[in-house]
């Protein structure tokens, strides 16, 4: 995917390059596999993150009644189902002519989504990433999990678990279930917040906000302790894309589209989310099911971009909640006038958003419209609708076309991980160039590549949650296709170097 | 039950159940507030005896309670390990013969098939799914027919014929190929005189015949079988 300057960006295996495959990844959502293509001088020429799972969700939504979709489509993911639930609802609001939905419905959906982003960010930072960040990328595999964090830093682990739980409770109170609820429907919501749940959430908020501030402090401290590593590691300059509020504020639920270039200059701004799909083109590569979106106006080489927390908090002009905005200003100072592009800065940005979510939950809980008021809107029926939302991992786009018989005739989903596809490939390439040493594979290289990918919090299949117990395999393939070396990490964390039997492999 | 006249009771799992002349075991049991799992039986219609979920043991015989005439002194076993297992397997067969995806089904929580499966402690399909290719008929402006979920209980057939006087539905085919037919030249619901106010429009115990555009209007937690298990719920339309 990524070539050294001047090298051709071919999709086939370029002549004379070797292939290094890492299969599969652990502690990301789903399974992935990485191939490094190196030349005869052992220089990394390309990095390819293969997404080899195919789910076909878009196809089997076709032919289903539209009102079923917001519930069905959230089964894409067990971590961020609410984002799919709401993106589908927003798209179908247009189909049923319910734009805007009522104030109560809007506030309830916003509350639900803040709970979702909070829950997902807490899961990613504390459960998945914190072992790497606290113990080091090369620490013992068996210790890189939340249980080890609980032994070493019990307060951090406990706060992570309870922050996640709080987010889940917000979701339950608004959607009916902690995972895969049914609160949002095309045209509005089917329930108010109960007084009991409002009291319950209100009571828990102050300590959650304190813990969120501590989490921002923790990641900021880690950056300060190793500024070289955190700034340099997997750093990739890119465009940034996200929704922002009409006033330029950080926006997670509904807004207009803005993109900046790597220097921070605004490329486009104020565009309606209904025009979103006209801005983008998706490139297909033969070696992965994951497409490569880019801004149509700039083309595939210049128009790729990053989404997610790092993009969002730098794309906006400000965050509307005071504590998070103060933390954002401290974060921005790191860039010295330009956007911060370090991949590990995603974690910092993620914790600032986590704090913002809790502050906004506090604001929303004070609004009586959550407890009463009209929930549903109806209007003139339309044939199609687009719903764009800022999911935990970035911009999420749902588009549906619906026939006169109420059945979905076309479905197009562009999920956050897809937007970040090129960026993840670039980040892996940057890491491999720094850590691949000669023809010897090390588990250190493998670990560092995983850490780089994990910074993007990719949701590759939206189904599994490996927590570091998945086997890993790293293979070095010579220019002739022979396997020169192989390193395998078993499910139990054992590192093995199995006999590297000469064998031809087909480059993918 | 203990005060009932010994001349007009039968015995169900050690309990006396009163009955009236001509009543079946299932009808009398249901009227008495006791539960025998069932799917194709409805108190407003003549028994059909097709789903076999209400099978009970009377001496050496296994018989459907919905067609078994109640008789004085009859000793009926229902809540036994043997019959619970039989019902479990019957339900698992019904699940794999159709396409029942409860997680995204709007009938979830109101579905008699799902609630009965819970009642018999079904936790998985056991058998390999058939994944049959079945159509969705969305031609009618107000009613959706999702035949993926049909369990061939024939309640819609009986309701349309006996109450609505229309005979919109019928069962066709044989054996595993048995399927629900729509009585119109095109085979589509829109070409019949079916109306949302028909009795057949509200009788389906699963999610086949559904009013359009309602979907998930009723939240999770507030649906019929969310409130109480089917064994405690009142008989009637789902």
């Amino acid at each position: 995917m990524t070539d050294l300057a001047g090298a051709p960006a071919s999709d086939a295996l370029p002549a004379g390059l070797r292939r290094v495959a890492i299969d599969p990844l652990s502690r990301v959502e789903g399974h992935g596999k990485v191939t490094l293509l190196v030349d005869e001088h052992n220089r990394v020429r390309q990095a390819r993150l293969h997404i080899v799972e195919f789910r076909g969700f878009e196809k089997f939504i076709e032919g289903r009644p539209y009102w079923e979709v917001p519930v069905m489509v959230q089964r894409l993911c067990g971590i961020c189902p609410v984002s799919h639930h709401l993106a589908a609802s927003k798209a179908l609001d247009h189909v049923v002519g319910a734009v805007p939905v009522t104030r109560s419905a809007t506030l309830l959906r916003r509350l639900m989504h803040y709970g979702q982003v909070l829950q997902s960010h807490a899961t990613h930072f504390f459960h998945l990433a914190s072992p790497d960040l606290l113990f080091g990328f090369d620490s013992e595999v068996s210790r890189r999990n939340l249980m080890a964090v609980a032994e070493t830093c019990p307060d951090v682990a406990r706060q992570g678990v309870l922050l996640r739980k709080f987010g889940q409770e917000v979701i339950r109170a608004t959607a009916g279930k902690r995972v895969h609820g049914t609160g949002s429907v095309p045209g509005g919501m089917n329930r108010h917040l109960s007084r009991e749940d409002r009291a319950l959430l209100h009571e828990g908020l102050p300590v959650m906000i304190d813990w969120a501030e501590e989490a921002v402090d923790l990641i900021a401290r880690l950056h300060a302790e190793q500024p070289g590593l955190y700034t340099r590691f997997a750093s990739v300059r890119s465009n940034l894309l996200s929704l922002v509020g009409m006033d330029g504020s950080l926006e997670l639920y509904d807004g207009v589209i803005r993109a900046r270039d790597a220097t921070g200059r605004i490329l486009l701004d104020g565009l309606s989310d209904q025009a979103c799909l006209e801005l983008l083109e998706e490139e297909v590569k033969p070696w992965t099911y994951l497409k490569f979106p880019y801004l149509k106006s700039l083309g595939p080489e210049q128009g790729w971009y990053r989404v997610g927390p790092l993009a969002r908090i730098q794309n906006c002009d400000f965050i509307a909640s005071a504590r998070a905005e103060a933390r954002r200003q401290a974060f921005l100072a790191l860039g010295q006038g330009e956007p911060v592009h370090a991949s590990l800065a995603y974690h910092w940005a993620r914790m600032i958003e986590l704090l913002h979510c809790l502050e906004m939950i506090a604001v929303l809980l004070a609004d009586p419209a959550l407890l009463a008021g009209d929930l549903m809107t109806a209007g003139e029926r339309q044939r199609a609708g687009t719903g764009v939302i800022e999911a935990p991992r970035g911009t999420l786009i749902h588009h549906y076309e619906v026939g006169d018989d109420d059945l979905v005739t076309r479905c197009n989903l562009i999920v956050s991980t897809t937007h970040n596809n090129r960026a993840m490939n670039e980040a892996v390439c940057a890491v491999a160039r720094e850590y691949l040493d000669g023809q010897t594979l090390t588990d250190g290289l493998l670990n560092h590549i995983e850490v780089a990918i994990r910074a993007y919090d990719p949701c590759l299949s939206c189904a599994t949650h490996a927590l570091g117990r998945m086997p890993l395999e790293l293979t070095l393939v010579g220019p002739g296709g022979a396997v020169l070396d192989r390193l395998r990490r078993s499910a139990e964390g054992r590192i093995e170097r199995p006999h590297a039997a000469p064998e031809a492999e087909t480059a993918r | 039950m203990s005060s009932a006249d010994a001349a007009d009771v039968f015995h169900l799992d050690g309990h006396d159940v009163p009955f009236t002349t001509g009543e079946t075991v299932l009808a009398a049991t249901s009227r008495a507030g006791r539960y025998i799992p069932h799917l194709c039986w409805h108190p407003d219609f003549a028994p059909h005896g097709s789903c076999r979920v209400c099978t009970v043991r009377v001496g050496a015989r296994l018989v459907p309670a919905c067609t078994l005439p109640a008789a004085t002194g009859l000793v009926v076993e229902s809540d036994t390990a043997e019959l619970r297992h039989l019902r479990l397997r019957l339900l698992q067969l019904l699940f794999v013969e159709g396409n029942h995806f409860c997680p995204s089904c709007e009938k979830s929580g109101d579905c008699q098939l799902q609630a009965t499966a819970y009642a018999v402690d079904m936790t998985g399909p056991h058998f390999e799914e058939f994944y049959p290719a079945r159509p969705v008929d969305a031609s009618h402006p107000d009613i959706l027919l999702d035949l993926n979920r049909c369990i061939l209980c024939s309640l819609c057939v009986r309701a349309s014929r006996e109450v609505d006087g229309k005979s919109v539905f019928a069962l066709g085919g044989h054996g595993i190929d048995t399927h629900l037919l729509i009585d119109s030249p095109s085979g589509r619901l829109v070409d019949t005189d079916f109306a949302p106010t028909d009795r057949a429009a509200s009788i389906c115990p699963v999610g086949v015949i559904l009013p359009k555009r309602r979907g998930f209007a009723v939240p999770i937690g507030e649906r019929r079988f969310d409130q109480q298990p089917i064994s405690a719920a009142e008989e009637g339309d789902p």
Side-chain angles (χ1 to χ4, degrees):
Chain A
M1 184 59 229
T2 304
D3 290 69
L4 289 174
S10 167
D11 292 332
L13 181 67
L17 297 192
R18 296 193 315 276
R19 187 167 71 91
V20 181
I22 302 172
D23 180 23
L25 297 163
S26 70
R27 278 184 295 147
V28 295
E29 283 298 310
H31 304 178
K33 176 181 173 182
V34 172
T35 296
L36 302 177
L37 303 181
V38 294
D39 63 18
E40 66 276 13
H41 304 296
N42 297 325
R43 291 180 301 187
V44 178
R45 302 296 292 253
Q46 288 190 20
R48 293 174 174 180
L49 172 60
H50 305 265
I51 307 302
V52 294
E53 294 177 347
F54 180 75
R55 305 194 74 196
F57 234 94
E58 290 163 326
K59 205 62 192 170
F60 60 70
I61 283 169
E62 291 175 7
R64 299 305 308 171
Y66 74 78
W67 54 85
E68 199 176 81
V69 173
V71 172
M72 174 182 274
V73 78
Q74 63 180 334
R75 296 283 168 170
L76 269 162
C77 185
I79 299 294
C80 61
V82 168
S83 300
H84 289 290
H85 186 51
L86 294 178
S89 296
K90 285 181 66 182
L92 293 164
D93 288 344
H94 289 275
V95 170
V96 300
V99 179
V101 295
T102 66
R103 184 167 183 274
S104 286
T106 300
L107 296 184
L108 284 159
R109 286 181 180 182
R110 281 186 176 277
L111 179 61
M112 191 193 303
H113 200 233
Y114 285 127
Q116 168 64 87
V117 177
L118 163 62
Q119 177 273 133
S120 178
H121 281 3
T123 302
H124 181 258
F125 182 73
F126 292 98
H127 295 65
L128 303 181
S130 74
D132 295 328
L133 305 177
L134 293 171
F135 303 146
F137 305 168
D138 285 323
S139 60
E140 189 184 339
V141 171
S142 62
R143 284 187 54 74
R144 278 187 286 153
N145 55 59
L146 186 64
M147 298 310 292
V149 175
E151 289 174 11
T152 311
C153 313
D155 286 345
V156 171
R158 178 169 169 270
Q159 290 171 11
V161 168
L162 293 176
L163 277 163
R164 179 179 184 276
K165 181 186 178 191
F166 189 82
Q168 296 288 86
E169 285 299 313
V170 173
I171 295 169
R172 179 198 55 74
T174 48
K177 288 168 67 183
R178 290 179 183 83
V179 182
H180 299 143
T182 64
S184 180
V185 295
M189 287 283 294
N190 67 14
R191 60 191 296 145
H192 290 101
L193 183 71
S194 73
R195 291 183 184 279
E196 295 74 25
D197 280 331
R198 184 177 71 165
L200 184 77
L201 296 174
H202 194 266
E203 185 184 355
L205 256 178
V207 70
M208 293 297 150
I209 292 176
D210 288 346
W211 289 351
E213 290 202 288
E214 289 178 28
V216 185
D217 290 342
L218 172 62
I219 188 65
R221 192 165 64 244
L222 289 168
H223 273 257
E225 287 171 358
Q226 298 188 76
L229 173 67
Y230 275 84
T231 304
R232 189 188 69 251
F233 183 80
S235 185
V236 173
R237 291 176 66 81
S238 74
N239 303 314
L240 307 169
L241 181 138
S242 72
L243 291 179
V244 294
M246 292 294 285
D247 56 359
S249 60
L250 176 69
E251 179 57 57
L252 298 175
Y253 172 72
D254 191 40
V256 291
I257 295 166
R258 174 185 284 180
R260 293 182 189 269
D261 69 14
T263 68
R265 186 174 61 90
I266 288 182
L267 292 170
L268 52 92
D269 197 7
L271 294 174
S272 162
D273 60 356
Q274 296 307 293
C276 181
L277 290 173
E278 295 165 23
L279 297 174
L280 305 177
E281 199 85 70
E282 289 183 289
E283 194 177 15
V284 176
K285 302 284 187 182
W287 41 269
T288 178
Y289 282 124
L290 203 60
K291 294 176 183 174
F292 291 84
Y294 58 89
L295 293 169
K296 199 184 294 186
S297 58
L298 297 179
E301 285 308 311
Q302 301 300 320
W304 64 275
Y305 50 85
R306 276 189 287 193
V307 299
L310 187 67
R312 286 193 291 250
I313 72 161
Q314 302 190 97
N315 218 6
C316 69
D317 298 325
F318 65 98
I319 297 179
S321 59
R323 296 187 197 200
E325 173 59 14
R327 304 309 183 109
R328 189 183 85 99
Q329 290 300 329
F331 174 89
L332 293 180
L334 207 65
Q336 299 176 331
E338 279 207 347
V340 176
H341 290 292
S343 292
L344 289 180
Y346 261 99
H347 297 300
W348 193 344
R350 199 168 280 128
M351 289 303 96
I352 292 172
E353 286 193 340
L354 180 138
L355 174 59
H356 170 64
C357 288
L358 284 159
E359 288 183 283
M360 294 310 294
I361 289 170
V363 171
L364 286 172
L365 287 180
D367 198 316
L370 292 176
L371 306 176
D374 291 340
L375 290 174
M376 292 296 294
T377 307
E380 190 177 343
R381 180 70 180 271
Q382 306 294 319
R383 298 297 298 268
T386 302
V388 183
I389 199 165
E390 285 296 329
R393 291 157 184 80
T395 312
L396 171 64
I397 304 168
H398 282 214
H399 175 80
Y400 303 97
E401 295 173 15
V402 181
D404 291 336
D405 61 0
D406 299 313
L407 301 185
V408 175
T409 56
R410 186 166 186 274
C411 166
N412 186 15
L413 313 175
I414 304 181
V415 303
S416 320
T417 298
T418 306
H419 294 293
N420 278 337
N421 194 4
R422 175 72 180 258
M424 288 190 292
N425 281 274
E426 297 281 347
V428 169
C429 198
V431 170
R433 283 175 188 157
E434 187 169 352
Y435 292 95
L436 180 65
D437 185 13
Q439 294 188 348
T440 306
L441 300 175
T442 62
D443 51 328
L445 169 65
L446 186 148
N447 292 339
H448 281 71
I449 287 174
E450 283 194 76
V451 170
I453 294 171
R454 197 173 304 122
Y456 291 82
D457 192 13
C459 190
L460 302 182
S461 77
C462 303
T464 56
H465 214 172
L467 286 173
R469 291 193 294 271
M470 290 171 62
L472 298 168
E473 188 166 296
L474 183 64
T475 308
L476 185 68
V477 181
V483 175
L484 303 177
D485 194 9
R486 179 175 285 149
L487 201 62
R488 180 181 296 152
R489 191 168 71 201
S490 73
E492 293 76 34
R494 288 193 308 274
I495 302 291
E496 301 169 347
R497 193 179 294 277
H499 175 64
E503 58 183 84
E505 292 198 18
T506 305
R508 288 182 289 175
Chain B
M1 303 306 161
S2 57
S3 61
D5 186 335
D8 54 7
V9 299
F10 63 89
H11 309 291
L12 175 70
D13 295 328
H15 299 279
D16 291 345
V17 178
F19 67 94
T20 57
T21 304
E23 244 185 340
T24 63
V25 164
L26 183 52
T29 298
S30 176
R31 194 167 52 78
R34 296 195 173 277
Y35 177 65
I36 297 175
H38 58 271
L39 289 172
C40 71
W41 180 80
H42 188 287
D44 294 350
F45 296 93
H48 195 248
S50 60
C51 78
R52 286 338 218 208
V53 170
C54 70
T55 296
V56 292
R57 176 174 285 283
V58 179
R61 290 189 305 147
L62 292 175
V63 287
C66 69
T67 58
L68 176 66
T72 301
L74 198 66
V75 177
V76 180
E77 295 175 83
S78 174
D79 189 19
T80 66
E82 174 202 24
L83 292 169
R84 285 195 295 271
H85 187 259
L86 174 76
R87 291 175 188 136
L88 173 66
R89 288 288 182 259
L90 285 170
L91 283 158
Q92 287 168 324
L93 286 167
L94 283 172
F95 269 90
V96 302
E97 282 177 14
N99 297 308
H100 299 277
F101 304 118
C102 300
S104 59
C105 178
E106 65 184 89
K107 193 76 172 181
S108 183
D110 284 329
C111 174
Q112 197 171 333
L113 178 68
Q114 181 193 51
T116 307
Y118 280 129
V120 301
D121 296 326
M122 178 177 152
T123 56
H126 183 72
F127 302 106
E128 189 173 349
E129 283 94 345
F130 288 23
Y131 296 128
R134 292 191 186 168
V136 173
D137 181 348
S139 62
H140 194 283
D142 300 311
I143 296 290
L144 178 81
L145 282 187
D146 189 341
L147 297 169
N148 287 289
R149 301 160 181 158
C150 185
I151 58 170
L152 305 171
C153 67
S154 88
L155 278 170
C156 60
V157 178
R158 288 177 272 166
S160 183
R161 183 179 62 225
E162 296 169 19
V163 179
D164 305 327
K166 294 181 177 178
S167 292
V168 168
F169 303 104
L171 294 184
H174 298 281
I176 195 64
D177 295 323
T178 307
H179 58 281
L180 192 67
L181 293 170
I182 314 300
D183 184 18
S184 72
S186 65
R188 301 195 313 160
L189 194 63
V190 69
D191 295 322
T192 69
D193 55 355
F194 191 74
T197 51
D198 285 358
R199 185 77 172 90
S202 60
I203 195 75
C204 181
V206 291
V208 177
I209 306 172
L210 295 164
K212 279 188 167 182
R213 298 175 290 278
R214 184 185 66 178
F216 293 87
V218 178
I220 284 175
E222 296 177 20
R223 295 174 169 226
R224 185 180 179 207
F225 300 121
D226 292 338
Q227 308 294 320
Q228 54 189 347
I230 192 169
S231 57
E234 284 190 22
E235 289 292 348
D237 293 357

